[in-house]
Amino acid sequence: MAALGEFALIRQYFAAAACAAPRPGVALGIGDDCALLHLPPGERLAVSTDTQVAGVHFPHDPDPFLLAQRSLAAAASDLAAMGAAPLGFTLALTLPAAEPAWLEAFARGLDVMARACRLSLIGGDTTRGPLNINVTVFGSLPAGQALLRSGARPGDLLCIGGPTGEAAAALPLVLGARAAVGAGDAQLLARYWTPQPQLALGQALRGLASAALDVSDGLLADCGHIAAASGVRLVVEAPRLPLSAALRAAAGDQALTLALSGGDDYVLAFTLAPHAVSALQVAGVPFHIVGRVETGSGVALHDGAGRDITPASSGYQHFGGADGQA
Amino acid sequence: MAALGEFALIRQYFAAAACAAPRPGVALGIGDDCALLHLPPGERLAVSTDTQVAGVHFPHDPDPFLLAQRSLAAAASDLAAMGAAPLGFTLALTLPAAEPAWLEAFARGLDVMARACRLSLIGGDTTRGPLNINVTVFGSLPAGQALLRSGARPGDLLCIGGPTGEAAAALPLVLGARAAVGAGDAQLLARYWTPQPQLALGQALRGLASAALDVSDGLLADCGHIAAASGVRLVVEAPRLPLSAALRAAAGDQALTLALSGGDDYVLAFTLAPHAVSALQVAGVPFHIVGRVETGSGVALHDGAGRDITPASSGYQHFGGADGQA
């Protein structure tokens, strides 16, 4: 790594990502002590930072092309959850050695996801050490229109932006405990390695959703975050959850459990007044109504007949580890 | 760490830093999917990210109270180098275990440096893994007034904001190769562990300096960055370099070498038209004129009689390792 020297690494391998979909809000990109961002009057800058560590968020020795996509997507999902329009990101990459093939594949993956998310690489830092990937993302949104976790009101509907559980169902494949077979397993692996942040959905929810977040710790756990921040009770109606064919095929009778508690889904969960449903349908973004907001606290799971079937444990602490985001 | 659960860690230990010196530009701090920053019209947001890794930027098992200060200061120094006013920062902390005493001391150190720099903690992420500290800092400055590396012109003076070499002279103390004795060694250790980002100097340089950066790789190496970005030659006049008594006492005849190539100084180096010197003196900020800008390329070191004494190697790759910042 020393042979490449200061600056050379990130410039050489990440030039493509730095040029991908340059955003008008980036006044100065890579190359000086700081990047400079411009915000139109009345806009707010949304910021979130996310770290991915080998053995915690992904297995050791993953495919760098996929790892880069997953790392950027996980961070960008927080912009979606806030309703922010994507702007740029910084990459702080700690890696044990500078292997050109690894870096080239990682940079390609970064470029793919940066283009998909319309995010420009605006700065970074590369350091030698145990593999650690930190991405800090930046977006913009009009003042007063951020999707917070705290606005859910009794009477609102609980919605999700897509099926959950598929990333968790991919874990045996990711860990090599089972070989991937067919299109269903390919779909699960794609959901794990290349989740697609729901940025369009998040922006469509501005002025419509009363609360939102992205599901990363498992649907029930994340619904608990909305319930706590809003001072309400969320009821998930189990029969309303979309369980994909790929999930059902891979997980069998554990499909519902994974959809409720699996984690790493990176779809949005949000609450919505009933009168806002038609406006959201007009916007043409995908969503599923999976429950409702009541007075009270916590999260309940109901069967089709309104009976409480809340599992004893709804928490999830990521792939083999634990972390916390503030 | 799992026992503390999602959110609990960073909230519990870093609440003080989150509250330290709240800035008017922080519209929403810790607790949702993103933080929200507000910029007055005409201002730009300056962003820089910096990672510190055990065994590369600091020895294994350092004092967490000092480590936190050093990590935040190293990142904040990039805001100073840009002339930005401090706003906030995110902390992505990867650590092997959640030891309350360690976290408490780290949070106290973070709080001390956050207050000194007038930076608010606006978000973060805590993850289990090998110790890795990433700080992303945010500042603001009027459009068009950022201190870039690219504006140095022949005829300008080369200046630094304080003595260099002390942090490098502290390394034998930091590594335990020598025991600290007296006030001089204490000064060296303070320079290493608790550098003070020159934020006031950076802001005073707006509209005066033609180029600036912070010295982190060693004075000659960083002067090389200005020379390359500006397309000029920088001449450092060795007898003009301020060599502190503490540095001289600790480093003996290596004092000049450390001042030129030591690294980790976190003082500003900048270029200035001669007519701007008096305005900067009026501003009351400390600086030393140590050389000049000429046509040409690269960096030369001259003795008192104008003779070239440029050392064969002027590069430096940090404490035992290598990294690169973009």
Side-chain angles (χ1 to χ4, degrees), chain A residues 6-321:
Chain A
E6 172 97 2
F7 294 96
L9 255 183
I10 207 160
R11 284 208 176 150
Q12 182 174 339
Y13 291 102
F14 302 123
C19 296
R23 309 293 296 155
V26 180
L28 182 70
I30 283 183
D32 216 297
D33 294 291
C34 292
L36 295 176
L37 296 177
H38 166 70
L39 277 185
E43 294 270 310
R44 297 287 176 268
L45 187 85
V47 178
S48 182
T49 190
D50 189 83
T51 300
Q52 303 267 322
V53 175
V56 178
H57 301 89
F58 55 84
H60 293 279
D61 281 326
D63 178 341
F65 177 70
L66 297 174
L67 176 61
Q69 293 183 68
R70 177 171 159 80
S71 299
L72 182 53
S77 185
D78 281 318
L79 293 179
M82 213 71 179
L87 194 53
F89 69 102
T90 58
L91 169 70
L93 181 60
T94 305
L95 68 179
E99 295 169 13
W102 194 98
L103 281 164
E104 191 274 330
F106 189 90
R108 271 194 301 116
L110 203 66
D111 183 45
V112 166
M113 189 56 73
R115 288 175 190 272
C117 293
R118 297 179 59 78
L119 284 164
S120 293
L121 180 65
I122 62 168
D125 190 14
T126 52
T127 306
R128 192 183 57 176
L131 185 58
N132 184 301
I133 301 151
N134 173 267
V135 173
T136 303
V137 287
F138 306 97
S140 66
L141 74 174
Q145 292 204 24
L147 307 176
L148 306 181
R149 299 176 172 192
S150 52
R153 296 289 169 262
D156 285 351
L157 301 170
L158 172 65
C159 307
I160 56 178
T164 57
E166 290 188 340
L171 275 184
L173 306 170
V174 169
L175 296 171
R178 182 167 78 75
V181 181
D185 283 352
Q187 178 177 328
L188 301 182
L189 281 168
R191 179 74 73 166
Y192 182 88
W193 284 116
T194 60
Q196 302 296 313
Q198 300 195 293
L199 290 155
L201 174 59
Q203 291 169 77
L205 291 176
R206 291 181 192 165
L208 294 178
S210 52
L213 48 57
D214 66 318
V215 180
S216 58
D217 295 337
L219 180 59
L220 291 183
D222 283 313
C223 283
H225 298 146
I226 291 180
S230 299
V232 296
R233 173 182 179 85
L234 263 56
V235 177
V236 178
E237 294 167 48
R240 287 179 173 270
L241 290 173
L243 304 181
S244 74
L247 171 63
R248 288 179 187 274
D253 61 7
Q254 291 301 299
L256 178 63
T257 300
L258 294 184
L260 290 167
S261 310
D264 289 329
D265 299 296
Y266 300 116
V267 298
L268 300 190
F270 54 97
T271 59
L272 196 67
H275 64 76
V277 168
S278 58
L280 194 56
Q281 284 169 332
V282 168
V285 288
F287 69 103
H288 306 263
I289 299 172
V290 298
R292 61 186 188 276
V293 183
E294 297 183 345
T295 56
S297 63
V299 180
L301 181 68
H302 284 188
D303 69 6
R307 284 184 296 261
D308 193 319
I309 53 169
T310 307
S313 168
S314 61
Y316 181 78
Q317 295 284 353
H318 287 284
F319 173 81

